[in-house]
């Protein structure tokens, strides 16, 4: 009933910025939270950042001060502004949302940080 569509992934040089977007569509009631996870090759999927309906945010320690999560409530969209990117940020980034009583995942967008 709910689809999450990510955009903005791609190739970026170390130190550069990139902004990811995730738009939720479908039968949307209350979006309790939206966030971003990532999974690098050979590693487990980990939470990068999330934002609740009340605006509270959480960040993985390694991205604090570099990444900023925000939302546009009217557009049911969450953003992840990534600055000062490092090669170790390379991963598939997945949008995540809790809508009503259910959880949803996007299909992922690849971010590659390389010279």
């Amino acid at each position: 009933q709910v689809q999450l569509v990510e955009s903005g992934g791609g190739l970026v040089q170390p130190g550069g910025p990139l902004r990811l977007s995730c738009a939720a569509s479908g039968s949307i009631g209350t979006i309790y939270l939206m966030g971003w996870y990532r999974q690098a090759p050979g590693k487990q999927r980990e939470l990068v950042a999330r934002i609740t309906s009340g605006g509270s945010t959480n960040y993985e320690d390694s991205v604090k001060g570099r990444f900023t999560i925000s939302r546009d409530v009217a557009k049911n969209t969450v953003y992840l502004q990534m600055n000062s990117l490092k090669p170790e940020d390379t991963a598939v980034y997945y949008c995540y949302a809790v809508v009503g009583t259910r959880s949803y995942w996007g299909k992922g967008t690849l971010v590659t940080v390389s010279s």
Side-chain angles (χ1 to χ4, degrees):
Q1 293 186 5
V2 175
Q3 291 184 332
L4 303 177
V5 180
E6 301 122 325
S7 62
L11 175 65
V12 63
Q13 292 185 324
L18 201 65
R19 190 176 79 156
L20 305 182
S21 300
C22 174
S25 62
S27 300
I28 300 174
T30 300
I31 301 178
Y32 289 103
L33 68 89
M34 296 186 77
W36 294 91
Y37 285 72
R38 68 185 180 187
Q39 188 167 23
K43 294 186 177 181
Q44 292 184 312
R45 188 174 298 186
E46 66 175 358
L47 175 68
V48 178
R50 71 174 191 173
I51 185 166
T52 70
S53 60
S56 298
T57 59
N58 296 97
Y59 295 93
E60 195 273 326
D61 286 342
S62 69
V63 310
K64 288 180 179 177
R66 299 189 297 122
F67 292 9
T68 302
I69 189 168
S70 61
R71 61 176 181 150
D72 185 327
V73 176
K75 295 182 178 180
N76 295 318
T77 299
V78 65
Y79 305 94
L80 185 67
Q81 178 65 50
M82 304 184 291
N83 297 322
S84 302
L85 283 163
K86 304 174 181 179
E88 51 262 43
D89 294 318
T90 296
V92 176
Y93 285 70
Y94 296 90
C95 183
Y96 173 79
V98 177
V99 182
T101 61
R102 297 186 176 185
S103 299
Y104 299 89
W105 290 93
K107 294 181 179 180
T109 185
L110 177 63
V111 173
T112 302
V113 185
S114 176
S115 298

